[in-house]
Amino acid sequence: MNRNGTDRTDGYAETVIVGAGLVGAVTALYLAPRFGPVTLLEKRADLRREPGGQRRSLVVMLSSRGWRALSDLGLADAVRRICVPLHGRSGHLPDGRTRVTPYSRDGQPIWAVERRRLHHILLDAAEATPGVRVRFGRRVRSVDLDEPAVVVEDGHVSHRLTCRRVLGCDGAHSAARAALEARGTRAEVRRLDLAYQEIDVPAGRLDPTITHYWPSGNAMFAAHPLPSGKLSGSLFMRRDGPAPSYAAARSGQDLYEMFAALFPELIRIIPDIAEQLADKAVSTLTTVRCDRWVWRDTFALLGDSSHAMAPFMGHGMNCGFEDARVLVDCLDASADWEAGLAAYEKSRTEDADAISELSYRHYFTMANPRREGTAEEVLRGRLTALFPDRFVPLYERCAFTEESYASILRDDQRLDRLVADLLARHGAELVSAPDDRLRACTPLPTPTTATSEDPACS
């Protein structure tokens, strides 16, 4: 035992990954074949040994970025067998109408997968990969960026594990990120004024090929089909403030009465909703924005530790998987780890900020549907239909391409400016003008040198 109360019995590791969640496991699978032994340290017990030990949302969404990583790692076929393809979302509107929006114009689906089953596949693959070892019940208390090393708590004993590098994949409340913050990195960790409960929705009452959501302005209920035929539902409502909010509910009965007033259709669809509302835990939503992700050649953050986001675009996991892929691309293209990590940080920070903004914004778009589209919304829709290659819907580009999120957001903002300019020049009558006139009024695109991929790494 040394003077700091730690010992060195755990010895040395080439790369330590803090956190063996979805992103940590994918990062290990990418790194070990290229850069040698990887040790994954996870503070929790092995979820594969804990029946019913689900700690986070039951279902996650896989789109093109996630599938790219799984394909790289040889796991796409195994994962696809446990997925449900979803072809669009159905909005059950307060006035009784139903609005179905395809996820893509050519019928491509996104895929719903149970988080726990996906995690099992990734952990099994990691443990079967030469050079990867996974250690559960190991809480990382601190990271020394200079040596580098991690202080690991194993039961009541702390060990100092030295290594060549540390990667932080330990979520929004990251212990690894704290080491960067101690060196002056600014991290904004924000708890949103939205909370949620996971609600089980029985099979047989809703179309199992699409996502369903019920908007009410002040709250929203969403339901995602599962392979079993049941659906994984989530009630989103304000955390604080007057009703409807979780703070305003003094009892399960209060919560049920709020729910019944907001979503009367769901009372019939979910017979035990009163019991679930009384019993299910209320969880909060945390976002993270971090102005530095790396330290020299020894440290990097990936996934929620650097960019936790609201879940409403379904891209948190996909973005984290893309972090791991871009990291190894940058390292493969660089002369050394310091240059590779710097390129990774440059490539990812703007994209993470963009998809985080889009994800939070998407909640308010879904929760507050208009009965009739504004002139701007109708004109955007017409331009998308008239120029399908030039104006691709934002969600479609995020879900079905690997284009930079930041470039997608910039293009969306340019489309907003174009629509505003067309209405200012030609008036609101342009919204209903014949196609030929609208085509003639729409200027040709300005040439640009921007590319869909950041050139720093690929």
Side-chain angles (χ1 to χ4, degrees):
M1 193 74 66
N2 67 21
R3 63 185 178 185
N4 295 319
T6 63
D7 62 40
R8 294 180 178 268
T9 57
D10 274 7
Y12 175 86
E14 186 74 8
T15 299
V16 166
I17 296 177
V18 185
L22 301 176
V23 173
V26 164
T27 303
L29 287 163
Y30 265 119
L31 284 176
R34 290 171 167 85
F35 301 107
V38 173
T39 299
L40 275 161
L41 300 175
E42 172 54 52
K43 65 183 178 182
R44 299 185 175 95
D46 188 346
L47 63 83
R48 295 168 296 178
R49 313 286 185 261
E50 294 184 325
Q54 188 75 37
R55 301 181 185 92
R56 299 188 62 186
S57 58
L58 284 174
V59 65
V60 289
M61 297 297 159
L62 271 165
S63 51
S64 290
R65 299 164 204 269
W67 285 117
R68 166 71 182 276
L70 295 172
S71 179
D72 286 350
L73 301 172
L75 298 174
D77 289 344
V79 172
R80 202 175 297 273
R81 286 194 288 271
I82 63 169
C83 289
V84 176
L86 303 177
H87 295 273
R89 69 178 78 90
S90 178
H92 302 261
L93 306 185
D95 60 8
R97 291 177 300 134
T98 299
R99 179 185 297 163
V100 177
T101 305
Y103 284 130
S104 69
R105 293 169 298 175
D106 61 0
Q108 292 184 78
I110 62 171
W111 300 77
V113 60
E114 291 176 78
R115 176 188 290 273
R116 185 180 180 87
R117 296 179 72 187
L118 174 61
H119 203 175
H120 280 209
I121 289 174
L122 294 176
L123 288 174
D124 288 347
E127 290 187 331
T129 299
V132 176
R133 62 174 186 162
V134 188
R135 297 292 180 262
F136 295 98
R138 307 294 204 276
R139 180 183 293 273
V140 172
R141 287 297 186 185
S142 62
V143 175
D144 181 337
L145 296 177
D146 294 321
E147 190 169 3
V150 294
V151 174
V152 186
E153 184 181 276
D154 177 6
H156 299 294
V157 180
S158 292
H159 306 276
R160 187 176 182 85
L161 175 61
T162 59
C163 53
R164 185 181 294 267
R165 61 191 67 94
V166 179
L167 302 178
C169 300
D170 52 337
H173 303 288
S174 169
R177 188 182 64 242
L180 273 187
E181 293 179 67
R183 301 298 178 97
T185 292
R186 293 187 299 276
E188 178 186 339
V189 181
R190 185 161 68 102
R191 190 170 68 163
L192 300 182
D193 187 28
L194 282 173
Y196 69 97
Q197 287 175 287
E198 295 283 357
I199 302 293
D200 301 324
V201 181
R205 306 190 181 212
L206 295 167
D207 183 343
T209 67
I210 54 178
T211 296
H212 299 265
Y213 70 100
W214 289 258
S216 75
N218 292 316
M220 185 174 73
F221 190 89
H224 304 288
L226 297 170
S228 64
K230 296 180 180 179
L231 292 90
S232 172
S234 299
L235 169 63
F236 296 97
M237 197 160 58
R238 287 198 311 271
R239 184 166 42 87
D240 299 312
S245 73
Y246 282 107
R250 295 181 300 275
S251 66
Q253 181 61 30
D254 286 349
L255 196 52
Y256 173 77
E257 290 173 1
M258 285 183 207
F259 188 93
L262 292 167
F263 310 111
E265 179 185 359
L266 289 169
I267 300 300
R268 298 186 295 273
I269 292 172
I270 313 172
D272 64 343
I273 185 63
E275 292 83 356
Q276 291 199 58
L277 289 169
D279 295 342
K280 294 291 184 75
V282 176
S283 301
T284 57
L285 294 170
T286 300
T287 64
V288 172
R289 183 173 180 177
C290 192
D291 70 349
R292 285 207 62 186
W293 294 19
V294 306
W295 179 261
R296 298 175 182 166
D297 65 343
T298 59
F299 181 88
L301 296 172
L302 299 91
D304 283 357
S305 63
S306 51
H307 56 65
M309 65 191 71
F312 305 110
M313 285 282 284
H315 275 263
M317 178 188 70
N318 292 281
C319 187
F321 285 7
E322 191 173 52
D323 289 346
R325 180 187 66 77
V326 172
L327 174 63
V328 296
D329 284 350
C330 290
L331 293 171
D332 287 344
S334 301
D336 55 48
W337 271 74
E338 186 162 9
L341 294 185
Y344 160 73
E345 181 183 65
K346 179 181 178 182
S347 174
R348 295 304 289 160
T349 50
E350 188 182 13
D351 276 353
D353 288 346
I355 189 58
S356 295
E357 176 183 335
L358 291 170
S359 295
Y360 189 48
R361 195 171 80 185
H362 196 54
Y363 171 77
F364 297 98
T365 300
M366 294 177 68
N368 297 276
R370 297 182 179 90
R371 180 170 181 82
E372 294 182 0
T374 63
E376 290 80 3
E377 290 168 341
V378 174
L379 188 53
R380 276 180 65 112
R382 290 198 63 197
L383 290 172
T384 300
L386 283 175
F387 303 95
D389 296 327
R390 180 177 170 190
F391 303 117
V392 179
L394 182 147
Y395 186 93
E396 186 173 325
R397 286 182 70 186
C398 287
F400 300 106
T401 78
E402 295 173 31
E403 294 178 66
S404 157
Y405 289 122
S407 70
I408 293 171
L409 178 57
R410 285 192 294 268
D411 286 349
D412 192 63
Q413 292 165 340
R414 278 194 284 268
L415 180 55
D416 279 342
R417 292 193 294 270
L418 172 61
V419 167
D421 182 63
L422 287 171
L423 290 172
R425 286 172 179 268
H426 303 285
E429 63 271 13
L430 189 63
V431 172
S432 56
D435 288 352
D436 287 348
R437 179 161 184 255
L438 181 52
R439 285 194 185 95
C441 291
T442 304
L444 294 173
T446 303
T448 177
T449 57
T451 63
S452 63
E453 295 282 345
D454 191 304
C457 306
S458 55

